[in-house]
Amino acid sequence: MKLYRSEKGIILEQDGRFVLSKHSDWDALVNQPNLHTVLQQEFESAETSVEKPEKLLAPLGTQEVWAAGVTYFRSREARMEESKESGAAVFYSKVYEAERPELFFKSTPSRVAEPGGKVLIRRDSKWNVPEPELTLFINSQHEIAGYTIGNDMSSRDIEGENPLYLPQAKCYDRSAAIGPCLWIPKSPIDPDAKINMSIERNWKTVFSGQISINQMKRKHGELVEFLTREMSFPKGAYLMTGTCLVPDNNFTLQVGDIIHIDIEGIGRLSNIVDMRS
């Protein structure tokens, strides 16, 4: 079952059929126990279908967005490369092997870009990349209730200069995008599901890559346990699970680039790159 937010309300989709939900409160709906069963019953009782919404909103209400780092080997290598001059490379190697994962705050809902909307690159950065990530929806009971696609935009030169600059490299207006839907499956996502990312520039593909989520070193439940160990989330939270596809070191995003991220079972999240004027 897929759950969308639109200007017309909350939309349910299954097998290409769309229906308008009777619920208007996103936070209350997604935190219901046995969410898949609740949505399935509502979908089956719906008498009329609706058109697929043309404009989508980010599939979140008041939830915070958090992120995990260095959960894939390729991410470990990339972070070590970007931080060699600062002498901080050893920290990324250590956190990859450590019991405790790297977790950091990513975004408030108001700073999240919607599907098809603009993500921003910083004006004070010269090395910016998208980071495609399977994103977990964790409900108020600290259960993984659904999945979506996340784009964890990152200013690699800022973080590489000093790891203490991580919040500035990661947190700014429209530094995150999620969507196009919240996918609520009956069972957990297939560990062999593929993540694909491509970047278009002037109608040409300048980057493309694919990886399976089973390449992640840490388990989803492990990340959730650490995130919720000393924090409560009364309305739930989103957790990006780490970077798996990293462009080469000579690549940086430009204004006008189009980022496409696909995850099997969920769909495609596309965003346009821009910069504050």
Side-chain angles (χ1 to χ4, degrees):
M1 185 72 66
K2 294 180 179 180
L3 204 58
Y4 298 87
R5 282 186 68 233
S6 76
E7 294 176 338
K8 296 182 178 179
I10 300 172
I11 306 291
L12 286 68
E13 181 206 354
Q14 189 174 64
D15 299 328
R17 183 191 175 207
F18 297 82
V19 301
L20 181 65
S21 175
K22 63 184 180 182
H23 296 88
S24 59
D25 187 330
W26 178 273
D27 291 353
L29 174 59
V30 298
N31 282 289
Q32 291 195 54
N34 303 312
L35 182 57
H36 181 272
T37 300
V38 169
L39 296 178
Q40 188 68 45
Q41 292 173 346
E42 180 178 4
F43 184 86
E44 293 174 354
S45 65
E47 297 180 356
T48 58
S49 300
V50 298
E51 295 293 324
K52 180 179 180 179
E54 294 183 3
K55 180 176 175 55
L56 295 173
L57 306 176
L60 81 171
T62 63
Q63 290 79 29
E64 298 172 350
V65 180
W66 286 72
V70 201
T71 56
Y72 290 83
F73 184 77
R74 177 67 185 98
S75 174
R76 169 187 177 274
E77 295 296 292
R79 300 276 283 277
M80 291 177 68
E81 290 168 7
E82 72 191 23
S83 60
K84 277 191 288 189
E85 291 188 9
S86 70
V90 64
F91 296 113
Y92 297 112
S93 177
K94 286 184 175 181
V95 78
Y96 182 77
E97 302 295 342
E99 177 187 1
R100 183 184 297 275
E102 178 193 15
L103 297 171
F104 58 90
F105 179 78
K106 177 64 183 178
S107 184
T108 58
S110 64
R111 295 192 178 99
V112 175
E114 69 278 7
K118 293 180 178 179
V119 289
L120 299 183
I121 52 178
R122 293 184 63 110
R123 289 173 294 179
D124 57 356
S125 173
K126 297 180 179 179
W127 188 11
N128 297 279
V129 295
E131 299 185 355
E133 306 189 15
L134 175 68
T135 301
L136 313 177
F137 170 64
I138 305 162
N139 65 19
S140 58
Q141 300 302 308
H142 299 170
E143 302 164 333
I144 300 174
Y147 307 88
T148 188
I149 301 171
N151 180 357
D152 174 17
M153 296 285 286
S154 182
S155 298
R156 292 187 66 185
D157 53 344
I158 293 177
E159 182 180 0
E161 182 180 350
N162 190 317
L164 296 180
Y165 296 159
L166 174 69
Q168 295 174 76
K170 293 287 191 178
C171 305
Y172 54 89
D173 287 348
R174 291 183 169 263
S175 65
I178 65 170
C181 64
L182 178 59
W183 179 46
I184 302 94
K186 190 174 182 179
S187 55
I189 190 169
D190 186 341
D192 293 324
K194 303 292 192 300
I195 300 178
N196 291 271
M197 181 173 72
S198 63
I199 303 172
E200 296 179 14
R201 179 176 298 161
N202 298 324
W203 298 281
K204 294 182 180 179
T205 300
V206 292
F207 174 84
S208 64
Q210 180 189 85
I211 196 169
S212 298
I213 63 173
N214 62 17
Q215 297 300 305
M216 185 187 300
K217 179 178 185 288
R218 299 182 185 273
K219 304 297 184 183
H220 297 162
E222 173 188 354
L223 296 175
V224 172
E225 194 279 324
F226 272 97
L227 180 64
T228 60
R229 182 175 288 186
E230 295 291 342
M231 284 195 294
S232 58
F233 296 96
K235 304 297 183 181
Y238 286 83
L239 177 60
M240 296 182 175
T241 56
T243 305
C244 54
L245 296 172
V246 183
D248 293 336
N249 291 352
N250 60 357
F251 179 89
T252 188
L253 289 168
Q254 297 180 10
V255 171
D257 287 354
I258 303 174
I259 305 163
H260 302 293
I261 305 172
D262 299 85
I263 300 183
E264 291 178 334
I266 302 175
R268 166 172 283 194
L269 173 65
S270 298
N271 294 99
I272 302 168
V273 178
D274 203 356
M275 182 185 295
R276 287 187 178 279
S277 58

